Amino acid sequence: MRGFFVCQRSLALSQATETSAKQDTPRQTPVTLATYFRSSLFYFLLFAFTALYGLILAISALILPLEQRCQLARIWSIGTLTMARVICGVRYKVTGLENIPDKPCVVMSKHQSAWETYFLQNLFAPQATVLKAELLRIPIFGWGLKALEPIAIDRSLKRNALKEVIKQGGERLAQGRWVVIFPEGTRVAPGQSSTFANSGALLAQKNGAQVLPVAHNAGECWPGRSVLLTPGVIQLVIGPVIDSTELSAKELGQQTQDWINSTMKAISEFE
């Protein structure tokens, strides 16, 4: 099973190398009638694809172990990324794959778009994503998410949410799963930033786990609050791991936020 995940990461590496060899296209493209048509076609196919895979994942929870369900989720993710590339011209370039450690850790990522949720699902497996509990109540889509055993929290109950991230996150790390956290808590538009929650840093510090920071500008091609996808190359950078053993949770969180924010200035047109 581990061989499958290693093979998939090698595939991601080869795809990233192929993309980096191409000339980067401008990230900001004028919106045309073709943009509306391609985006509409993409979302039509995405909804159909998601409905199909949501049902498959929900049924698989009854008969398949978690690792095989994660394989199915990766096919879902790869299919979505492929549709975005072929239909809407959304490509990506990845830097820093060599920084990914052999042992699962806490991944803390910038959050601008839906794109990174698909990409990171493919790159880090098996994983547990920290997400808002209401997503699990969406028919079909939520059923599929639930089959992957994410860490679902109620953000209105902040103290309880923090306890759940630390408790369930520690369990997932002990099971050999990556824990993916978007510390800003919600999608943030390009050029903007939000204060990072300290749950990811506390989780890593209490479990002696490393933190792997991730920065990207996906919102420039696939905006979080728009239905229009524009052609371009998403830049995603994976930073060096940050050791939590000699840092306080506050220091760990600040160091992670500083690296992500400084990297965003280098890759984003809006920073």
Side-chain angles (χ1 to χ4, degrees):
M1 190 64 64
R2 180 175 176 80
F4 173 85
F5 293 135
V6 172
C7 178
Q8 289 297 304
R9 185 165 295 158
S10 298
L11 175 61
L13 176 58
S14 65
Q15 291 173 334
T17 302
E18 177 186 356
T19 303
S20 63
K22 300 177 181 178
Q23 182 179 3
D24 290 356
T25 57
R27 299 187 197 109
Q28 291 304 299
T29 304
V31 175
T32 65
L33 186 61
T35 304
Y36 285 94
F37 174 76
R38 290 170 180 165
S39 297
S40 298
L41 176 60
F42 169 76
Y43 275 109
F44 174 79
L45 294 176
L46 177 62
F47 290 151
F49 191 47
T50 298
L52 173 63
Y53 256 87
L55 288 173
I56 290 174
L57 283 169
I59 295 171
S60 73
L62 303 175
I63 57 178
L64 294 178
L66 177 64
E67 286 191 345
Q68 292 184 21
R69 281 177 260 153
C70 287
Q71 292 181 32
L72 291 174
R74 295 181 81 167
I75 296 173
W76 177 20
S77 299
I78 292 171
T80 300
L81 295 172
T82 300
M83 287 193 297
R85 175 175 57 83
V86 172
I87 299 172
C88 299
V90 176
R91 297 183 286 117
Y92 60 87
K93 176 181 177 181
V94 181
T95 304
L97 283 167
E98 69 279 3
N99 290 326
I100 300 176
D102 294 330
K103 182 180 179 180
C105 64
V106 178
V107 179
M108 295 176 64
S109 173
K110 183 72 177 176
H111 198 17
Q112 288 189 346
S113 169
W115 180 88
E116 62 269 20
T117 63
Y118 292 107
F119 184 82
L120 297 180
Q121 180 71 48
N122 180 42
L123 190 60
F124 300 107
Q127 74 167 247
T129 305
V130 177
L131 48 76
K132 49 189 180 183
E134 52 262 39
L135 289 176
L136 301 185
R137 295 193 284 270
I138 300 175
I140 303 180
F141 175 75
W143 306 342
L145 279 183
K146 190 173 183 179
L148 301 175
E149 299 181 8
I151 301 172
I153 60 172
D154 184 344
R155 293 187 299 179
S156 65
L157 304 173
K158 292 185 178 180
R159 182 172 297 182
N160 184 64
L162 177 60
K163 290 180 179 179
E164 287 302 311
V165 170
I166 294 174
K167 175 179 178 293
Q168 294 187 44
E171 294 171 351
R172 303 298 197 276
L173 288 169
Q175 294 167 0
R177 298 174 64 183
W178 303 83
V179 176
V180 176
I181 296 178
F182 300 104
E184 290 168 300
T186 189
R187 289 173 291 186
V188 178
Q192 299 181 11
S193 61
S194 179
T195 302
F196 282 28
N198 62 355
S199 55
L202 281 169
L203 170 63
Q205 199 265 341
K206 287 183 178 295
N207 289 275
Q210 294 175 315
V211 168
L212 187 66
V214 176
H216 63 84
N217 61 346
E220 295 176 21
C221 292
W222 186 338
R225 290 173 173 80
S226 173
V227 295
L228 296 180
L229 280 68
T230 55
V233 180
I234 293 171
Q235 307 285 334
L236 182 138
V237 183
I238 302 168
V241 292
I242 303 174
D243 191 354
S244 66
T245 55
E246 296 184 1
L247 297 174
S248 67
K250 183 178 180 180
E251 292 170 331
L252 182 60
Q254 189 61 56
Q255 194 168 326
T256 302
Q257 183 170 357
D258 289 345
W259 183 89
I260 290 177
N261 287 342
S262 64
T263 304
M264 290 302 301
K265 292 179 180 179
I267 65 175
S268 176
E269 295 181 346
F270 291 87
E271 296 292 332

